[in-house]
Amino acid sequence: MKKEEKKYIRTDIKKNTLAKEIIRVDFYPLENFDEVLEKLELYFRDKNYSYTQTTTTNVTYDINDPEPLITESFMVKKNIEIIQNYEFVNINESCKFVVNQNMLIFDKSAFSGYNGIELYFDLFIGAINVIKEITSIKISRIGIRKINELILSKKDSLFRYFNNIYLNDLNSINDETKEMVLEYSFRPFYGINDLSLNKNIKIIKGKYKNTNSDIIDAYSLIWDIDTYRRFVNDTDDLDLNDICKSINEKIFEEYSDVISDELYDYLTQDVESDDILGGINNGAN
């Protein structure tokens, strides 16, 4: 549907379409890492996170930066293969923190009753402050990634709920098409006002088991947005909370560009829809 000049307000959203959220900070290799890990374990234990150690783990928390950092011992866009990662997991909140000598990551994968990512900024920044108490830390990049998904019963519903500029090739999917994936990547800006952003749109036609356990045709649209900021100079005086908030607002701007006014109204009002099969969670965006 064509988008009108309508201002979307993130805090008005009552239902979200989130499937995954990631906050990631990269830094130069930490010294005294054993002591850092010990203090982080105490910090997260006090916040009801349990400690686990993982070895030879593939960590797929990429920020889609085309220029690998000096601090990275891996290539961006590929899985990060690291010998040792340390996880602090909160099962009740379906989230965890992952740390090693080069990065700290927050990962969340369930969003029913969600109150918003801002609640985790303090916890994330608190962990960085714990590290600072033990050793110096030079940050090279901070990024946030949000993956959203909406599953619909009809192809026409895609035109109702999403900005049609992202649906140009949808006519290649018809009733005879059993399965198909259309994927688009956009880089609206890179390094402008210190921020870079990537947006990936994926449209999938496949099968879906409905509430009656019937297998039906379904259409899924996944929009994956990550925004990050790089740093090359001294980072001691960074206001990490302001940086995270500005990144989060920029992601919402791009999120708003993908959805239609009709979907925005659905997410902000107590209304029902007969063509939305999945992807909706009650809670903030």
Side-chain angles (χ1 to χ4, degrees), residues 1 22 24 26 46 69 73 81 96 135 139-140 183 194 199 207 211 213 242 247 268:
M1 183 174 293
I22 295 163
R24 171 170 165 168
D26 295 90
D46 187 56
L69 297 168
S73 58
E81 196 167 65
K96 63 183 177 181
T135 186
I139 294 171
S140 53
E183 190 164 3
D194 296 322
K199 181 163 54 179
K207 298 297 182 180
T211 54
S213 296
D242 278 355
I247 290 174
T268 56

Side-chain angles (χ1 to χ4, degrees), residues 4 29 85 87 92 106 120 128 148 158 167 190-191 235 256 284:
E4 305 296 337
N85 291 305
E87 297 184 353
N92 293 331
F106 167 76
Y120 294 98
I128 293 174
N148 294 268
L158 290 166
L167 306 175
Y190 178 68
T235 58
S256 300

Side-chain angles (χ1 to χ4, degrees), residues 75-88:
M75 291 297 293
V76 176
K77 296 185 181 179
K78 296 182 180 179
N79 287 351
I80 309 162
E81 196 167 65
I82 299 174
I83 298 301
Q84 201 78 33
N85 291 305
Y86 304 89
E87 297 184 353
F88 304 93

